[in-house]
Amino acid sequence: QVRLVESGGGLVQAGGSLRLNCAASGTIVSFNAMVWYRQAPGKQRELVAALTSTVSTNYADSVKGRLTISRANAKNTVYLQMHSLKPEDKAVYYCNARMLTSHYWGQGTQVTVSS
C-alpha cells in the first residue's frame, strides 16, 4: 500500500511563497507520474502540476511561471514550490501518485492566500 503525506501548507500573503512536500512510502521513481492537484471550495479538483518518470513536467496554465514541481529521489519526496501566490490559489492541495492504472492520494494540505 502506497502512503502519501503532504505538508507545507499554511497562510501566506498575496505575492508570497510556500513549498509543499509530498513524502511517499514507496520509491517515487517507480511511479509513472507524481501529480499535484488542488480543490477550491465549491470547485472541482484540478491538476496543477505533474512530473513523469521521464522527468517531463506539465503545468496548468494558471500556474505556469509561478509553481515548480520537482522531486528528491533519495528522500522519496515530491515538492511543489509556489511563488507569487494569488488569492485564487487558495485551495486544498493533494499529492497523487500513479502506477499503471492505480492512483494513490494523500490527505491534502490547506493553502490560504490573503489579499
Side-chain angles (χ1 to χ4, degrees):
Q1 181 71 20
V2 175
R3 185 166 177 255
L4 304 173
V5 179
E6 301 100 331
S7 62
L11 173 63
V12 64
Q13 287 188 331
S17 299
L18 281 175
R19 189 182 78 169
L20 304 184
N21 313 302
C22 173
S25 60
T27 304
I28 60 174
V29 294
S30 66
F31 297 118
N32 300 122
M34 300 293 296
V35 186
W36 284 97
Y37 286 83
R38 68 185 180 188
Q39 188 166 20
K43 294 188 177 181
Q44 289 189 330
R45 192 171 295 189
E46 63 173 350
L47 186 149
V48 175
L51 176 64
T52 71
S53 57
T54 58
V55 203
S56 64
T57 57
N58 184 41
Y59 295 94
D61 288 341
S62 59
V63 306
K64 284 180 180 177
R66 300 189 298 117
L67 274 59
T68 303
I69 187 170
S70 63
R71 71 187 191 192
N73 295 339
K75 296 182 179 180
N76 289 322
T77 300
V78 176
Y79 305 101
L80 185 66
Q81 181 67 56
M82 305 189 292
H83 295 298
S84 303
L85 283 164
K86 305 176 181 180
E88 51 263 42
D89 293 318
K90 175 183 176 180
V92 178
Y93 285 71
Y94 296 92
C95 181
N96 169 271
R98 302 177 183 180
M99 184 180 295
L100 299 178
T101 59
S102 297
H103 284 239
Y104 304 93
W105 293 91
Q107 81 288 349
T109 185
Q110 176 72 50
V111 171
T112 301
V113 184
S114 62
S115 56

